[in-house]
Amino acid sequence: MRHLLNPLDFSVEEISSLLDLASDIEHNLPRYAHVCDGKKIATLFYEPSTRTRLSFESAMLNLGGSVLGFSSASSSSAAKGESVSDTIRMVSCYADICAMRHPKEGAPLVASLHSSIPVINAGDGGHQHPTQTLTDLMTIRSLLGRLDNMTVGLCGDLKFGRTVHSLINALVRYPNVRFLLISPTELKIPEYIREDVLRANNIEFVEVDSLDAAMPELDILYMTRVQRERFFNEEDYIRLKDCYILDKAKMKLAKDHMFVLHPLPRVNEISVEVDDDPRAAYFRQVQYGVYVRMALIMTLLEVAKPC
Ligand code: CP
């Protein structure tokens, strides 16, 4: 039995196969309508979510399976003090696979140690968000036709942004990927990513604070939200929340074939006037998230591709 807790749990070859399967699903959706008949996914969300929870549920329903779960800690027995390890023992009796989001880093790992069903990390604190990364990889591969030889700008909250940490971990395995890390000093990438992931793998990267200066160099711009829920005080949040706002004027500085991704939700960091730009790919990214989660559920449940 396999879990997905970290993007590195799958090899580059396994990710390539999973993205191929997701792409086949995209183009032949009806063929997959019954491959998970009788199977159930439990979505255990101790933290708010729109996309990740609903896309897991949509994915399982598209495959013919069913869904159960909870969408907040307060509506589960966690509110009475039940531990993650006890909860997963119960859920293993009710479902065939589960996706867990938790504010504490490592909670899905703890669950996996006590689970008899595959556990998918759907985001743990400021740590990792591997299924967002699979979504991002599918989006980039679909838009650029490759996952190598590119310059990726990551902009915004690089300190607490789990999507950024997971994406860097995944992309350093592809040749000639260069990073521009665009953030205010207070929200710079954590040292363990800078030293243990980027420097340890001899990856070319620059830490900068100007989005304008970075724009012309980029093949992909990955915008992120400054996350109010990760700050210890409101004053710092208010000071930093609008440090980057992508608007039409900034888009004029970019290449014609640069694409903008964002894990969403957005607040102010991308002006709605950018949404109609053909290079704005963040809503297409959401659709890819369903296909990639369908492929992931099939892979972890060892469901064969239909003939
Ligand atoms: N991208 C993402 O994780 O969105 P949600 O928080 O809405 O799940």
Side-chain angles (χ1 to χ4, degrees):
M1 185 180 63
R2 292 188 75 176
H3 309 285
L4 178 66
L5 304 170
N6 183 304
L8 302 186
D9 289 344
F10 283 175
S11 67
V12 168
E13 293 73 26
E14 286 172 325
I15 287 183
S16 181
S17 299
L18 191 138
L19 298 186
D20 288 345
L21 177 58
S23 185
D24 192 66
I25 290 169
E26 177 189 2
H27 296 106
N28 301 289
L29 193 60
R31 248 196 245 163
Y32 290 83
H34 296 288
V35 295
C36 283
D37 278 357
K39 303 281 188 196
K40 294 188 280 279
I41 187 166
T43 51
L44 313 177
F45 277 60
Y46 295 81
E47 242 193 4
S49 167
T50 296
R51 271 147 299 276
T52 311
R53 186 171 66 84
L54 296 184
S55 63
F56 267 116
E57 296 186 358
S58 174
M60 189 49 130
L61 294 170
N62 285 346
L63 295 168
S66 311
V67 301
L68 66 160
F70 52 83
S71 59
S72 66
S74 62
S75 64
S76 78
S77 284
K80 303 172 198 163
E82 186 166 53
S83 65
V84 162
S85 52
D86 278 1
T87 301
I88 196 68
R89 283 194 181 96
M90 308 307 122
V91 172
S92 296
C93 305
Y94 307 146
D96 302 284
I97 187 168
C98 83
M100 175 182 285
R101 171 168 292 187
H102 203 287
K104 284 198 183 145
E105 301 185 1
L109 168 65
V110 171
S112 72
L113 300 174
H114 300 273
S115 179
S116 52
I117 59 174
V119 175
I120 300 168
N121 178 0
D124 59 333
H127 189 217
Q128 299 282 351
H129 195 343
T131 64
Q132 181 63 50
T133 298
L134 294 174
T135 302
D136 301 339
L137 295 180
M138 182 175 184
T139 308
I140 295 170
R141 200 178 80 158
S142 301
L143 295 170
L144 295 183
R146 63 182 192 277
L147 289 170
D148 53 15
N149 295 303
M150 60 183 165
T151 298
V152 179
L154 298 149
C155 178
D157 178 1
L158 309 188
K159 180 177 181 181
F160 299 113
R162 59 193 174 200
T163 59
V164 167
H165 306 160
S166 283
L167 186 57
I168 292 175
N169 264 292
L171 282 177
V172 297
R173 300 196 289 182
Y174 298 88
N176 197 24
V177 176
R178 174 175 174 255
F179 295 96
L180 295 190
L181 305 173
I182 309 153
S183 75
T185 306
E186 296 88 336
L187 297 176
K188 281 171 88 164
I189 202 85
E191 193 178 332
Y192 80 93
I193 299 282
R194 187 186 310 110
E195 300 304 324
D196 302 347
V197 181
L198 293 167
R199 280 205 219 286
N201 287 288
N202 289 319
I203 304 299
E204 189 181 339
F205 72 95
V206 196
E207 296 185 276
V208 296
D209 61 8
S210 167
L211 176 56
D212 284 28
M215 286 300 274
E217 294 191 50
L218 305 179
D219 298 303
I220 295 290
L221 171 60
Y222 195 88
M223 291 296 293
T224 62
R225 172 176 68 97
V226 174
Q227 303 172 88
R228 177 180 229 144
E229 64 274 27
R230 308 270 179 240
F231 276 80
F232 295 111
N233 73 69
E234 185 75 1
E235 275 170 30
D236 284 350
Y237 169 71
I238 289 170
R239 186 166 50 80
L240 293 169
K241 72 183 175 68
D242 293 328
C243 54
Y244 299 105
I245 298 180
L246 182 66
D247 56 15
K248 274 190 171 171
K250 284 190 172 52
M251 289 297 284
K252 284 197 179 130
L253 304 171
K255 293 178 188 171
D256 290 344
H257 298 293
M258 186 252 351
F259 290 100
V260 182
L261 275 64
H262 190 311
L264 304 178
R266 74 164 151 196
V267 186
N268 291 327
E269 62 279 2
I270 301 180
S271 167
V272 291
E273 70 185 20
V274 176
D275 294 356
D276 293 333
D277 189 307
R279 296 168 293 180
Y282 29 93
F283 293 122
R284 278 174 274 172
Q285 198 178 347
V286 171
Q287 183 64 64
Y288 288 129
V290 177
Y291 303 136
V292 99
R293 289 182 176 98
M294 289 172 72
L296 177 63
I297 291 168
M298 286 180 64
T299 302
L300 293 179
L301 290 179
E302 300 180 351
V303 170
K305 189 176 162 183
C307 308

